[in-house]
Amino acid sequence: MFYKIEDMRALGGLELDVLLAVAGNDGEAHGLLVRAAVSEARGREISVGATYTTLTRLEAKGLLASRTTDPLPVRGGRSRKEYRLTAAAHEALAAERDRAARRWAGVPGPGAEPGWGQA
Amino acid sequence: MNTDPAHGRNPAAARSTPGQPPSATRPRRFAELVLTGLAADPDELLGDLAEGAAGVAAARGARAARSWWWGQAARATPRLVWHGLRRRPGAVLAGVGVFIAFVVLSDLIPVPFGTNTQAYHGDSPVPPTTNRVLWDTAVTGLAMLALGALAGAATAALARRARLVPVVLLAVLLGLTYSRYAFYIVYGPARLVHSDGGTHWELELGTWSNDVVVPVLWQLPTMGLLLPLATMLGGLAVVSLRRRRQTERAGGA
């Protein structure tokens, strides 16, 4: 019930960044890879806990699907979850792109003549 | 930075085995157990921490890896609690439900050796001896700690995943509620009346009218800190037990 209500909201900033990071490595994106990509995009380190909770939330919202790999020695014998975008996530990203395009449509680019303050 | 020319990396890093997570110490195993209780998918979180620490160890050495691991674990803990409370209404219900049951039961069940049995009547005020106060307080305090641990275990057993999240809620509520005993023991409903040259005067301490209260500062750690701690330990015991059973099942499969 919680997630149905949340689905109606727009994506949060971190959620959007995580979805974009997964989109860049679709099917092979895992927690540490997503963390590195989001940290690079944001210009500051985000924590493992933040990545984990955001991925969990997005999966519960139905925006991510995951598969579990075989256990890996580097993870202390634990397996790894690899994420891919769902159809709903593709739609959500397209909607976010349209929203961003609409927001930037009225903003003049650099070097444009100012439309006010001229005698 | 002082680097090992043979490997082109920190000498401390050379001592750790590349590609392997650093070995877990006892405090770290305890922290892992806490994270196991807080995360819905602990293997994923702990695996990321182990893999990340192995990467840091290879690049900057075992000491930096330890520091990185603890830093990430510390940052993850409050986030996991908040995430669990927001996303798991069942966990909130379990925590609040056990808290209410704890308060009701602890009021209903008489403590035969507790401080409540000492009525302190105004007609014949007989102050309890210091030994009696200390004994009653210690026994009642220990009984409360045992009850807190049981309540924590019951709450963890009620939850399906992220079992420690409702236990944290319960521990906070118990700590807030029972920390009033940190400062006072209530000696039954009565008023302390001092007889002084035939005149009577009443002494009331605290905010509970008709209660005579005795400040016992040593209970501050008992109820303010140890009761939530006992609650958490009870929950952790269940998490550890379930984890062990899971491992055994996985090993047997």
Side-chain angles (χ1 to χ4, degrees), chain A residues 16 31 45 49 85:
Chain A
L16 182 59
E45 288 267 306
L85 298 182

Side-chain angles (χ1 to χ4, degrees), chain A residues 2-3 6 31-32 35 45 47-50 52-53 56-57 73-76 78-81 83, chain B residues 19-21 39-41 43-48 50-52 68 72 75-76 79-80 83 86-87:
Chain A
F2 261 35
Y3 297 112
E6 283 211 353
L32 287 180
R35 175 177 177 265
E45 288 267 306
S47 69
V48 172
Y52 166 81
T53 50
T56 307
R57 192 163 63 241
V74 72
R75 294 172 69 81
R78 301 177 184 92
S79 49
R80 180 193 273 162
K81 258 183 165 180
Y83 295 90
Chain B
Q20 292 288 333
D41 187 355
D43 278 344
E44 177 64 8
L45 177 67
L46 293 175
D48 277 355
E51 191 176 352
W68 182 90
Q72 293 294 331
R75 287 169 74 185
R79 186 176 274 275
L80 288 169
H83 179 79
R86 285 194 65 196
R87 309 284 152 186

Side-chain angles (χ1 to χ4, degrees), chain B residues 15-81:
Chain B
R15 286 195 293 272
S16 65
T17 311
Q20 292 288 333
S23 57
T25 56
R26 188 169 289 187
R28 182 162 151 176
R29 281 200 298 273
F30 182 79
E32 284 183 352
L33 187 63
V34 172
L35 292 174
T36 298
L38 292 174
D41 187 355
D43 278 344
E44 177 64 8
L45 177 67
L46 293 175
D48 277 355
L49 287 174
E51 191 176 352
V56 175
R60 290 188 282 142
R63 192 188 176 92
R66 274 197 303 274
S67 163
W68 182 90
W69 193 95
W70 279 104
Q72 293 294 331
R75 287 169 74 185
T77 302
R79 186 176 274 275
L80 288 169
V81 172

Side-chain angles (χ1 to χ4, degrees), chain B residues 101-114 116-117 144 147:
Chain B
F102 186 96
V103 172
V104 170
L105 286 175
S106 63
D107 276 351
L108 286 180
I109 298 173
V111 185
F113 35 72
N116 284 340
T117 58
M144 290 292 283
L147 279 176

